[in-house]
Amino acid sequence: EAGVTQFPSHSVIEKGQTVTLRCDPISGHDNLYWYRRVMGKEIKFLLHFVKESKQDESGMPNNRFLAERTGGTYSTLKVQPAELEDSGVYFCASSQVTGGYGYTFGSGTRLTVV
Amino acid sequence: AQSVTQLDSQVPVFEEAPVELRCNYSSSVSVYLFWYVQYPNQGLQLLLKYLSGSTLVKGINGFEAEFNKSQTSFHLRKPSVHISDTAEYFCAVSVGGTALIFGKGTTLSVSS
């Protein structure tokens, strides 16, 4: 079984540019989550999809972040325009069941905004 | 609000020594508890979880953790570590919802 795939693995962009991160969940997993770890801080929840619907987006930091999951398969997280404080590692996870357990995480995308 | 505190940011140990990574949480309701590990250049991997039942939970790679409700702790232990256990370890809680709340992580460094 393929795991959760994220790409790119690394991205370096200039402040003000746009970046799109992609996550391919495990096939059949309806639940998809995005988390972020800013340097030296905790890993923090961003949002949760159930199929193509946003179940909880309470962790999204501001309206420069846009997440989509068209067709309930892969998801994208767009940052536009990127700011220096957006640098960090963005993790995606998927699960079959809802309830905070049974997650499988991807390897993350390391985003550096310069 | 729930929170997780990992009391040590770095833990250096020698190979074959025992190790304990400490985790305390705060919550006024029942929680699910987890330990994740991140090896260099890899994603987060679940080591073990406590959902209910026995308070002593065994995980992969010889790790175990004990849920202590009165002390609101979920410390991770291994009786004898290997070089390959060098990684960052994260304690996390879930309050029955979907979001995990993580601690800041503990870097375990095992040397020979």
Side-chain angles (χ1 to χ4, degrees):
Chain A
E1 173 181 81
V4 176
T5 305
Q6 291 186 247
F7 49 93
S9 56
H10 295 82
S11 180
V12 181
I13 62 170
E14 293 184 351
K15 176 183 172 181
Q17 288 186 322
T18 297
V19 62
T20 300
L21 313 181
R22 173 166 167 153
C23 170
D24 285 51
I26 291 173
S27 179
H29 283 194
D30 288 339
N31 296 277
L32 186 149
Y33 313 84
W34 285 97
Y35 284 79
R36 174 175 78 167
R37 188 184 192 196
V38 172
M39 182 71 72
K41 303 282 191 180
E42 302 91 337
I43 300 168
K44 289 204 169 177
F45 168 80
L46 296 179
L47 86 160
H48 169 216
F49 283 100
V50 177
K51 297 185 180 178
E52 66 274 11
S53 299
K54 292 176 186 174
Q55 188 77 11
D56 180 355
E57 52 184 329
S58 60
M60 293 288 265
N62 52 61
N63 59 10
R64 294 185 294 102
F65 288 76
L66 175 64
E68 294 180 323
R69 193 182 181 195
T70 306
T73 55
Y74 69 92
S75 174
T76 57
L77 180 64
K78 181 190 289 187
V79 185
Q80 178 182 31
E83 299 288 345
L84 298 179
E85 64 264 26
D86 300 331
S87 296
V89 180
Y90 290 75
F91 291 102
C92 176
S94 72
S95 69
Q96 274 188 316
V97 296
T98 303
Y101 50 92
Y103 281 37
T104 300
F105 279 89
S107 298
T109 294
R110 182 174 296 279
L111 174 65
T112 304
V113 183
V114 297
Chain B
Q2 293 75 35
S3 66
V4 176
T5 302
Q6 291 184 241
L7 295 146
D8 306 294
S9 59
Q10 307 218 19
V11 175
V13 294
F14 288 110
E15 196 173 19
E16 298 182 8
V19 71
E20 178 180 80
L21 306 184
R22 296 179 294 167
C23 173
N24 286 91
Y25 68 93
S26 68
S27 175
S28 57
V29 297
S30 296
V31 297
Y32 300 146
L33 295 154
F34 307 83
W35 276 98
Y36 283 87
V37 60
Q38 186 179 22
Y39 299 104
N41 300 315
Q42 295 187 29
L44 293 164
Q45 181 181 2
L46 180 66
L47 269 180
L48 48 78
K49 62 187 176 191
Y50 172 79
L51 303 181
S52 65
S54 173
T55 57
L56 182 63
V57 181
K58 293 190 184 298
I60 61 172
N61 302 338
F63 284 93
E64 63 180 32
E66 184 153 22
F67 169 54
N68 188 319
K69 188 174 181 180
S70 63
Q71 297 188 3
T72 60
S73 68
F74 191 55
H75 301 333
L76 181 70
R77 301 185 183 100
K78 186 169 183 178
S80 175
V81 295
H82 303 288
I83 299 284
S84 59
D85 292 322
T86 294
E88 191 163 18
Y89 292 78
F90 296 93
C91 182
V93 303
S94 170
V95 194
T98 57
L100 291 174
I101 300 163
F102 285 88
K104 287 189 175 183
T106 298
T107 298
L108 175 65
S109 300
V110 183
S111 56
S112 57

